[in-house]
């Protein structure tokens, strides 16, 4: 087949997609799911552009910027790390601005014509609402918006298609605390579960037949993707539009893309094309219902405001701590140490920088330099003991327990962790309780106290599930699997490893995936399946390299 005839075939397939989508839209069979990509040409930054601009302004060399960008660390988690160190209000305020573009206006026209009833978006800007208002629709009267826990508690999924409804999964700039809550959870690699029912409704349980996804990269690996991955039946037909600058018409099965694809089991297609052109073609096919198509292009006005904000962070020397946190989050420990030390600037520990000393201790622990880690954590603990703060003392003892675990002094590790455990009952820090139980479980397991180890791991697992801490749940499942392996309870071990894998793969956590492979290697050695064991250990080794 010639290249020309291949192009013609692709165009014919593309036209069929447009035609079928138009019929689904006319018949009210479609829900739209919108990501950040639809806001291009609205005067607002895309996630990649904003992240890169901040890092450049912080003065990072290009190789360090590339390491962060190429790690695929979620943008929401990146901003969440900033939130832990400083005020992000100037960044959030940018998203109050901008003008609706072709995508927002197209969706608004469909909504006004009654062709779509349910709109779901990860965007917290106001562009979609403004587009609807520009079409003469009124918020609350014509379209309620759900974006907080309280809102979601009142959703009636039986009647969801009776009225135009907007769901803003990551919050709304109208109430920026809704955004801060999500960012905090994602910065800790935790999923949010209040929209669990919503995602199941969209991708499995609703009366609609299809979901059109525009401007969404499937990179929300701590909250959205894990829920979609767990849908194992009654899948909706999904059409994803992957934006490419050139106008091409490549179409493939939705199952073909390997990475960042929670839709591997779903029926549907992936369309590679210019998304503005795709919307233009849909609009033209529905022109009798939507009116005449117009292209909208808005200038970027956000850079100068980000420049002011980043200069303020540099003036207060906060930028190095932010970057250190980001590198810690993606486990590039040497880089996190480099930036934390820049943040300290040679200063001794005091009330303003004791947090950085603690973070340096964690980073040195992550890099395997346990003695150096102990030095920083001991300085931190000695300092905070002056203040008689159980919550801070608990953290100090917990960190030192982890260090002595790494040094192989398991009895000392248990001693410190038990002190931390007693203080955690006073402070009520559930996240810390989880880590304390993990360390106590590991130490007891190594000392041969398997039943005690199981007790602590099961407590940890319960806390992780309650907190919706997916990474913690996977890690503890692997540890429990290791214990059951030594007890020769292989079916139980296999069940725990498989559960950990189902979480680790969509999260994209190399650490968890490597530990899963190691666990499976141990299991196969115990079962005398030596060739399988070697294969698993090789996979683990490749990741660790």
């Amino acid at each position: 087949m010639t290249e020309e005839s291949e192009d013609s075939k692709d165009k014919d397939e593309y036209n069929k997609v447009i035609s079928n989508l138009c019929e689904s839209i006319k018949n009210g069979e479609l829900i739209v799911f919108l990501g950040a990509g639809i806001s291009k040409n609205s005067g607002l930054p895309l996630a990649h552009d904003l992240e890169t601009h901040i890092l450049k302004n912080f003065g990072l060399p290009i190789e360090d910027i590339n390491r962060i960008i190429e790690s695929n660390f979620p943008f929401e988690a990146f901003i969440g790390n900033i939130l832990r160190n400083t005020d992000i209000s100037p960044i959030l305020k940018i998203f109050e601005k901008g003008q609706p573009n072709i995508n927002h206006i197209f969706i608004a026209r469909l909504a006004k014509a009654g062709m779509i009833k349910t709109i779901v978006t990860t965007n917290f800007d106001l562009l979609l609402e403004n587009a609807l208002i520009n079409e003469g629709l009124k918020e609350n009267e014509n379209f309620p918006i759900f974006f907080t826990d309280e809102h979601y508690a009142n959703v009636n999924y039986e009647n969801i298609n009776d009225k135009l409804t907007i769901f803003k999964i990551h919050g709304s700039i109208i109430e920026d605390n809704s955004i801060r809550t999500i960012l905090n959870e994602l910065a800790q690699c935790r999923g949010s579960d209040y929209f669990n029912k919503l995602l199941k409704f969209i991708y499995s349980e609703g009366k609609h037949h299809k979901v059109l996804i525009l401007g969404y990269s499937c990179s929300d690996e701590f909250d959205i993707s894990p829920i979609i991955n767990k849908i194992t039946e009654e899948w909706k037909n999904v059409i994803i539009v992957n934006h490419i600058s050139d106008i091409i018409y490549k179409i493939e099965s939705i199952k073909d893309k390997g990475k960042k694809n929670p839709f591997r089991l779903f029926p549907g297609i992936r369309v590679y094309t210019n998304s503005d052109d795709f919307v233009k073609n849909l609009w033209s096919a529905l022109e009798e219902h939507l009116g005449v198509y117009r292209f909208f292009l808005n200038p970027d006005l956000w850079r100068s405001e980000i420049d002011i904000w980043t200069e303020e962070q540099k003036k207060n020397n906060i930028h190095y701590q932010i970057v250190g946190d980001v590198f810690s989050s993606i486990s590039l420990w040497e880089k996190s140490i480099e930036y934390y030390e820049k943040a300290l600037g040679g200063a001794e520990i005091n009330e303003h920088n004791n947090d950085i000393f603690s973070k340096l201790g964690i980073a040195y622990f992550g890099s395997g330099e346990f003695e150096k880690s102990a030095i920083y954590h001991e300085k931190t603990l000695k300092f905070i003991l002056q203040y008689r703060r159980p919550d801070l003392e608990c953290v100090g003892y917990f960190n030192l327990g982890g260090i002595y675990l790494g040094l192989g002094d398991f009895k000392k590790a248990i001693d410190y962790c038990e002190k931390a455990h007693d203080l955690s009952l006073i402070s009520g820090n559930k996240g810390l309780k989880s880590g304390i139980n993990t360390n106590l479980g590991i130490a007891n397991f190594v000392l041969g106290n398997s039943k005690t180890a199981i007790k602590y791991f099961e407590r940890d697992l319960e806390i992780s599930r309650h907190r919706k801490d997916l990474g913690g749940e996977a890690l503890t499942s692997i540890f429990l699997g290791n214990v059951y392996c030594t007890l020769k309870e292989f079916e139980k071990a296999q069940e725990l490893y498989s559960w950990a894998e189902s979480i680790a793969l969509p999260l994209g956590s190399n650490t968890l995936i490597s530990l899963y492979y190691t666990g499976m290697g141990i299991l196969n050695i115990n079962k005398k399946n030596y060739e399988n064991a070697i294969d698993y250990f090789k996979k683990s080794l490749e990741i660790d390299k």
Side-chain angles (χ1 to χ4, degrees):
M1 185 180 289
T2 65
E3 187 176 332
E4 186 175 340
S5 60
E6 187 68 41
D7 289 344
S8 176
K9 181 184 176 183
D10 289 344
K11 184 65 183 293
D12 288 343
E13 286 297 311
Y14 175 84
N15 287 335
K16 285 180 185 176
V17 170
I18 295 292
S19 178
N20 289 337
L21 265 177
C22 286
E23 286 305 307
S24 296
I25 290 169
K26 290 175 185 176
N27 295 331
E29 299 173 346
L30 190 78
I31 278 180
V32 290
F33 191 100
L34 310 172
I38 71 160
S39 294
K40 185 177 174 63
N41 299 326
S42 291
L44 296 182
L46 295 182
H48 174 273
D49 296 334
L50 177 55
E51 189 172 342
T52 303
H53 192 70
I54 289 172
L55 294 172
K56 281 182 178 176
N57 279 7
F58 280 170
L60 269 68
I62 190 66
E63 58 268 24
D64 286 358
I65 294 174
N66 288 340
R67 282 184 171 188
I68 293 171
I69 300 299
E70 290 167 7
S71 73
N72 294 318
F73 190 51
F75 171 72
E76 290 82 4
F78 172 78
I79 298 295
N81 272 309
I82 295 175
L83 174 62
R84 287 156 57 185
N85 291 284
T86 188
D87 181 23
I88 63 167
S89 297
I91 297 177
L92 296 181
K93 281 190 177 298
I94 289 170
F95 293 93
E96 294 178 2
K97 303 176 181 180
Q99 295 294 323
N101 65 25
I102 177 177
N103 299 292
H104 307 102
I105 297 167
F106 171 67
I107 299 298
R109 295 274 178 97
L110 288 178
K112 184 181 180 182
M115 293 180 172
I116 55 171
K117 296 290 187 182
T118 305
I119 303 170
V120 187
T121 178
T122 60
N123 301 339
F124 39 74
D125 59 53
L126 303 178
L127 299 174
L128 183 60
E129 295 95 307
N130 289 340
L132 290 163
I133 291 167
N134 291 342
E135 293 300 323
L137 300 177
K138 295 179 181 179
E139 190 175 331
N140 295 325
E141 183 180 327
N142 297 120
F143 59 95
I145 303 176
F146 296 90
F147 58 85
T148 68
D149 287 0
E150 292 76 18
H151 294 160
Y152 282 89
N154 295 319
V155 176
N156 183 346
Y157 288 96
E158 291 296 319
N159 303 320
I160 205 169
N161 287 322
D162 293 349
K163 186 177 184 179
L164 174 62
T165 308
I166 299 175
F167 295 94
K168 306 189 78 164
I169 287 181
H170 286 165
S172 172
I173 196 63
I174 283 289
E175 195 175 305
D176 64 12
N177 276 340
S178 64
I179 302 170
R180 293 171 199 271
T181 300
I182 292 291
L183 295 178
N184 263 324
E185 289 173 338
L186 292 179
Q188 298 171 57
C189 299
R190 289 173 53 200
S192 304
D193 120 293
Y194 63 79
F195 49 82
N196 200 317
K197 287 183 181 178
L198 172 64
L199 290 173
K200 288 181 178 176
F201 170 84
I202 296 165
Y203 292 108
S204 177
E205 297 170 357
K207 295 176 183 176
H208 56 286
H209 302 304
K210 295 181 181 179
V211 182
L212 173 63
I213 300 178
L214 292 172
Y216 183 64
S217 63
C218 299
S219 61
D220 294 301
E221 296 174 335
F222 301 121
D223 54 352
I224 296 174
S225 290
I227 295 172
I228 298 172
N229 268 301
K230 290 179 182 177
I231 297 173
T232 57
E233 59 185 1
E234 297 182 12
W235 304 282
K236 297 300 178 187
N237 191 290
V238 175
I239 301 97
I240 301 180
V241 179
N242 277 57
H243 175 75
I244 294 177
S245 297
D246 297 332
I247 298 175
I248 64 169
Y249 307 105
K250 181 184 173 184
I251 297 169
E252 66 181 24
S253 167
I254 202 168
K255 302 175 183 181
D256 288 349
K257 188 177 178 183
K259 292 184 178 179
K260 289 192 178 182
N261 182 14
F263 300 106
R264 292 182 187 89
L265 300 176
F266 283 66
I269 57 171
R270 191 180 303 275
V271 182
Y272 292 92
T273 189
N274 182 289
S275 55
D276 286 343
D277 186 69
F278 182 85
V279 170
K280 176 183 176 181
N281 289 324
L282 274 177
W283 190 325
S284 297
L286 295 164
E287 188 171 285
E288 62 178 302
H289 304 282
L290 307 183
V292 178
Y293 161 83
R294 283 176 55 215
F295 182 73
F296 300 85
L297 180 64
N298 300 292
D300 287 340
L301 302 172
W302 55 272
R303 296 178 193 274
S304 59
E305 296 184 38
I306 290 296
D307 293 344
I308 294 168
W309 177 83
T310 49
E311 282 304 309
E312 193 66 27
Q313 310 316 307
K314 289 165 71 177
K315 197 183 299 179
N316 298 320
N317 206 32
I318 293 170
H319 60 307
Y320 288 137
Q321 189 169 349
I322 291 170
V323 175
D325 284 358
V326 172
F327 276 120
S328 280
S329 295
I330 57 178
S331 302
L332 290 177
W333 302 111
E334 289 182 8
K335 278 294 170 184
S336 66
I337 290 167
E338 176 187 331
Y339 282 97
Y340 286 142
E341 288 181 341
K342 285 182 179 180
L344 278 178
E348 284 300 310
I349 191 167
N350 57 54
E351 60 182 317
H352 300 296
N353 65 20
N354 72 85
D355 188 41
I356 303 176
F357 271 76
S358 179
K359 289 176 178 179
L360 264 168
I362 293 168
Y364 275 116
F365 182 86
S367 68
E369 298 184 64
F370 301 126
E371 288 84 359
K372 281 189 178 180
S373 178
I375 291 169
Y376 279 102
H377 282 310
E378 281 169 358
K379 282 185 178 182
T380 305
L381 181 59
K382 186 177 179 181
F383 180 78
I384 61 181
L385 283 172
Q386 303 172 50
Y387 294 92
R388 298 188 181 280
R389 286 273 306 275
D391 55 336
L392 297 178
E393 291 175 32
C394 179
V395 173
Y397 285 121
F398 166 68
N399 287 335
L400 281 167
I403 290 162
Y404 283 105
L405 197 64
L407 288 168
D409 191 339
F410 302 112
K411 289 184 178 178
K412 206 165 186 177
I414 289 172
D415 181 47
Y416 276 117
C417 285
E418 284 179 344
K419 287 179 180 177
H421 183 268
D422 292 342
L423 288 164
S424 73
L425 299 176
I426 301 170
S427 68
N429 187 328
K430 289 187 178 178
L432 208 53
K433 284 180 185 176
S434 176
I436 293 165
N437 282 309
T438 297
N439 286 354
L440 285 167
I442 293 169
N444 278 283
F445 174 52
V446 175
L447 290 173
N449 305 324
S450 295
K451 288 185 178 179
T452 305
I454 289 171
K455 177 186 74 175
Y456 283 118
F457 286 139
E458 286 182 342
R459 282 183 189 173
D460 182 16
L461 197 57
E462 184 180 347
I463 293 169
S464 294
R465 284 174 175 163
H466 180 73
R467 297 177 65 237
K468 308 300 177 186
D469 178 1
L470 296 168
E473 185 179 342
L475 182 63
T476 308
S477 296
I478 292 168
F479 289 149
L480 261 175
N482 294 343
V483 180
Y484 281 111
C485 256
T486 62
L487 295 173
K488 308 298 182 186
E489 295 187 39
F490 300 136
E491 285 187 18
K492 184 71 174 174
Q494 175 73 66
E495 180 185 331
L496 286 158
Y497 290 142
S498 297
W499 180 246
E501 181 199 24
S502 73
I503 299 172
L505 287 176
L507 286 181
S509 169
N510 284 333
T511 301
L512 290 173
I513 294 167
S514 174
L515 286 170
Y516 158 73
Y517 286 139
T518 301
M520 288 298 295
I522 293 167
L523 176 63
N524 278 278
I525 282 179
N526 277 280
K527 294 171 74 173
K528 304 189 186 307
N529 298 328
Y530 300 118
E531 288 187 9
N532 287 346
I534 289 170
D535 286 342
Y536 279 116
F537 287 137
K538 281 182 177 178
K539 288 178 181 178
S540 178
L541 181 61
E542 191 59 35
I543 291 172
D544 290 344
K545 283 180 180 178

